[in-house]
Amino acid sequence: MTTRGQLPEAMLFDLDGTLFQTETLLLPAYHATFDELRAQGIYEGETPPEERILGALGMLLEQIWIRVMPESPVAVHQEADKLLIKYQVEGLQEGRGVLYEGVAETLQTLHAKGVRLFVASNGLEDYVKQVIAEMGLAHLFEGLFSAGEYQTRSKVDLVQILLEKHGIQSAWMVGDRSSDVEAGLRNNLTVVACDYAGFREAGELEGAHIRIGRFAELLDYIS
């Protein structure tokens, strides 16, 4: 485990709610998805409240749809998966979506200091890679790991695969949800909890070694 002031070999970052202001891309796509589901005749009624999907960020997609529309069958969840990623990719290509303040500059500084940078996300492969590419960050990351690509059932497993594949001995796990805290602790990493997205529920960040209120604060712990 790395202590304050000591440079870790690597940092592993969650994407949504940590690097990327997900709601700036997600919410327009979310409403377009339900418009299309209604147009197809496979969903009736109002679009579920935005708070349902925002509160589910960090979960696996199948868990998200169970939370968002628990009364709908799996086939509708699967169609919603396809539509949501389609509209999000279109949104990225149209220039929607923004990073949190200080993300690009902080990642550049960490990269320049020799810290190996990775993404570990429960999202779909295409979404994760597209966001990083469209935000101009791809050159800073050594690897982009997603539950969609590696078919993992938890972020604990995804992080374990990442560490083993790249031979990493010392790392920080940086994220905003309980899944990030759990993944870091169970893989014996230093856990940095990002407390600025507002998606988390009470108590989710308990157990983290460091808590930051803005992304650039990361640099305060390695200087």
Side-chain angles (χ1 to χ4, degrees):
M1 189 174 294
T2 307
T3 57
R4 182 176 181 133
Q6 183 180 346
L7 199 65
E9 175 187 354
M11 287 193 185
L12 285 48
F13 298 93
D14 175 47
L15 180 60
D16 295 323
T18 299
L19 303 177
F20 186 59
Q21 291 191 46
T22 315
E23 68 275 21
T24 61
L25 177 69
L26 173 66
L27 294 181
Y30 178 70
H31 288 284
T33 294
F34 277 92
D35 288 344
E36 179 60 24
L37 291 175
R38 281 188 289 265
Q40 292 182 21
I42 58 176
Y43 183 86
E44 296 180 354
E46 298 296 318
T47 299
E50 294 175 349
E51 291 75 17
R52 288 193 193 177
I53 195 162
L54 291 175
L57 290 174
M59 296 179 180
L60 297 170
L61 271 173
E62 63 186 55
Q63 298 168 336
I64 290 176
W65 293 120
I66 289 172
R67 174 175 175 143
V68 170
M69 44 176 171
E71 70 288 346
S72 297
V74 172
V76 177
H77 294 175
Q78 292 172 339
E79 180 63 16
D81 271 352
K82 296 174 186 176
L83 291 171
L84 188 67
I85 187 65
K86 170 181 178 286
Y87 290 127
Q88 284 181 309
V89 168
E90 288 177 0
L92 282 168
Q93 293 170 343
E94 292 167 2
R96 294 186 198 143
V98 296
L99 300 169
Y100 285 103
E101 182 181 0
V103 165
E105 298 84 353
T106 301
L107 292 177
Q108 183 64 59
T109 299
L110 292 169
H111 185 265
K113 289 178 177 290
V115 179
R116 301 167 68 186
L117 306 180
F118 298 86
V119 167
S121 168
N122 275 338
L124 292 172
E125 178 183 2
D126 289 347
Y127 169 77
V128 171
K129 292 181 176 178
Q130 191 87 22
V131 169
I132 294 299
E134 292 292 339
M135 295 297 108
L137 302 176
H139 66 291
L140 299 174
F141 286 98
E142 188 172 333
L144 306 176
F145 284 68
S146 63
E149 180 174 4
Y150 287 90
Q151 296 298 297
T152 46
R153 303 300 303 166
S154 76
K155 189 166 283 191
V156 174
D157 296 335
L158 183 66
V159 168
Q160 182 180 6
I161 291 169
L162 189 163
L163 296 172
E164 291 176 354
K165 186 169 184 177
H166 288 274
I168 296 167
Q169 303 298 319
S170 164
W172 291 10
M173 179 69 226
V174 184
D176 71 307
R177 300 305 301 265
S178 58
S179 57
D180 302 306
V181 176
E182 180 189 24
L185 294 178
R186 289 182 58 183
N187 283 286
N188 298 312
L189 307 181
T190 294
V191 177
V192 181
C194 300
D195 198 7
Y196 46 75
F199 304 145
R200 66 176 178 80
E201 296 177 359
E204 278 201 66
L205 304 181
E206 295 300 319
H209 304 100
I210 298 168
R211 190 177 296 211
I212 58 176
R214 55 187 182 85
F215 191 81
E217 285 181 36
L218 265 179
L219 299 178
D220 296 341
Y221 291 88
I222 62 169
S223 58

